[in-house]
Amino acid sequence: MYIGEAAKKSGASERAIRLYESMGLLAVARSGNYRVFSVADVEFIRLIKEGQSLGLHLSELKVLVNGKNDFDWGKVLQLLEHKQHEIALQIKTLEAKSVRIGEYRQSIAQCDY
């Protein structure tokens, strides 16, 4: 299949797919000047998009690529654990801010303003 069909099936734009390829994230076979995508290529594009939806940057994903359109799953696991830890810290920070905001609101509500 060509890039238009791969884009439709993967949910990624043609531009995004070209970016993935130019960054070295994605290796696609060519027939003359045309990119020819396999079902496995489309699945790999979906994995890239899923990684992005989890907050992973393309530069982080590029480091995880192991061979043609595959990831080093051990490294993926380590990165996901790291990201989960970062998110837990962000949640704690936001919860502390929320408590402080509640305290300020309460304090202001008791004032004659």
Side-chain angles (χ1 to χ4, degrees):
M1 77 188 84
Y2 295 121
I3 195 166
E5 188 177 350
K8 287 178 187 171
K9 288 185 175 184
S10 68
S13 67
E14 291 180 23
R15 184 175 178 192
I17 293 171
R18 288 185 191 100
L19 175 64
Y20 302 158
E21 187 180 21
S22 72
M23 290 182 67
L25 260 171
L26 178 65
V28 181
R30 291 195 175 253
S31 176
N33 290 331
Y34 296 98
R35 295 169 179 86
V36 180
F37 294 83
S38 67
V39 172
D41 294 332
V42 171
E43 287 303 315
F44 192 70
I45 293 167
R46 285 184 185 148
L47 283 174
I48 293 169
K49 285 185 54 65
E50 182 64 21
Q52 287 182 291
S53 76
L54 296 174
L56 302 177
H57 300 281
L58 292 177
S59 58
E60 292 173 312
L61 291 170
K62 185 179 183 322
V63 175
L64 302 175
V65 172
N66 183 25
K68 184 183 184 288
N69 300 345
D70 195 16
F71 287 117
D72 179 329
W73 293 102
K75 288 182 181 178
V76 170
L77 182 59
Q78 289 175 343
L79 179 60
L80 291 175
E81 288 171 354
H82 175 74
K83 284 293 183 179
Q84 191 171 26
H85 178 72
E86 282 182 353
I87 290 169
L89 290 175
Q90 290 172 354
I91 290 170
K92 284 183 181 181
T93 300
L94 289 172
E95 286 173 340
K97 285 181 183 180
S98 179
V99 167
R100 286 181 30 223
I101 288 171
E103 290 169 352
Y104 283 122
R105 289 181 62 211
Q106 213 171 30
S107 180
I108 291 169
Q110 293 174 357
C111 295
D112 291 328
Y113 54 93

